[in-house]
Amino acid sequence: MAIASDLSIPSYAHRATFSFNAPITRPKGGQPIDTRRQNDLHKLDVYRCALQLYRKVSRIVAQFPRGEADLRDQMKRAARSVPFNIGEGVGKRGNARAAAYQVALGQDKELIVALDCVEIDGLAPDDDVIEAQDLADRVAAMLTKLIAATRASG
């Protein structure tokens, strides 16, 4: 079954621990998003994790040396696209909702590949890359389940 392979634990998962239950805060501190916003979108764990992934990727690409502008821009666009498409999906129904989640999943998978390249090229500290990979894997698993549930119900 294709869904099961998307939910498998990555081989590098044992190398880092990360708390996914920590509140997400603005980059320069301030109140956690959980306490500032109370709409349906911010109650979705997948959306909050996608925002956390975007912040993590933003910090990673900020460390890139000169000459990596293309990869930096591509990763920022992909990381930004994930929460955008989750938000779009929340506002839709049926197949349109599943399609928006599918786009978010595709962008998340693109980001996973980019993070692998960052790790291979040594463009950022391994711990930062692994943390982002773990978040991206978690987002992918949640989106896969949301897509299946949306298709089953509609």
Side-chain angles (χ1 to χ4, degrees):
M1 185 172 177
I3 294 175
S5 66
D6 288 342
L7 300 177
S8 62
I9 297 173
S11 61
Y12 52 79
H14 68 280
R15 297 188 298 191
T17 59
F18 185 76
S19 171
F20 294 109
N21 295 324
I24 302 170
T25 58
R26 293 190 318 222
K28 295 180 182 172
Q31 290 182 326
I33 285 177
D34 295 350
T35 60
R36 290 186 292 122
R37 298 199 180 99
Q38 297 298 319
N39 64 45
D40 289 341
L41 183 59
H42 290 89
K43 293 176 186 175
L44 279 178
D45 193 30
V46 67
Y47 179 74
R48 288 178 295 152
C49 286
L51 289 178
Q52 207 167 3
L53 177 60
Y54 175 66
R55 285 192 183 96
K56 188 68 182 170
V57 168
S58 294
R59 286 191 297 270
I60 288 171
V61 300
Q63 302 173 47
F64 286 2
R66 293 185 86 129
E68 297 294 343
D70 289 345
L71 181 59
R72 179 185 300 115
D73 292 345
Q74 185 171 359
M75 288 180 70
K76 286 276 286 194
R77 277 194 310 275
R80 188 178 291 146
S81 180
V82 175
F84 270 79
N85 282 287
I86 292 168
E88 183 178 334
V90 167
K92 296 184 181 235
R93 295 176 187 218
N95 288 337
R97 176 176 284 182
Y101 291 159
Q102 190 70 45
V103 171
L105 179 61
Q107 292 298 307
D108 187 66
K109 295 288 189 174
E110 179 180 327
L111 198 50
I112 290 170
V113 172
L115 287 163
D116 287 342
C117 293
V118 169
E119 185 175 29
I120 290 167
D121 294 342
L123 297 174
D126 285 346
D127 289 345
D128 291 346
V129 174
I130 291 166
E131 191 175 309
Q133 288 168 327
D134 288 346
L135 269 172
D137 286 339
R138 184 162 188 247
V139 169
M142 287 188 283
L143 284 168
T144 299
K145 287 182 178 182
L146 273 173
I147 292 163
T150 302
R151 288 185 176 151
S153 69

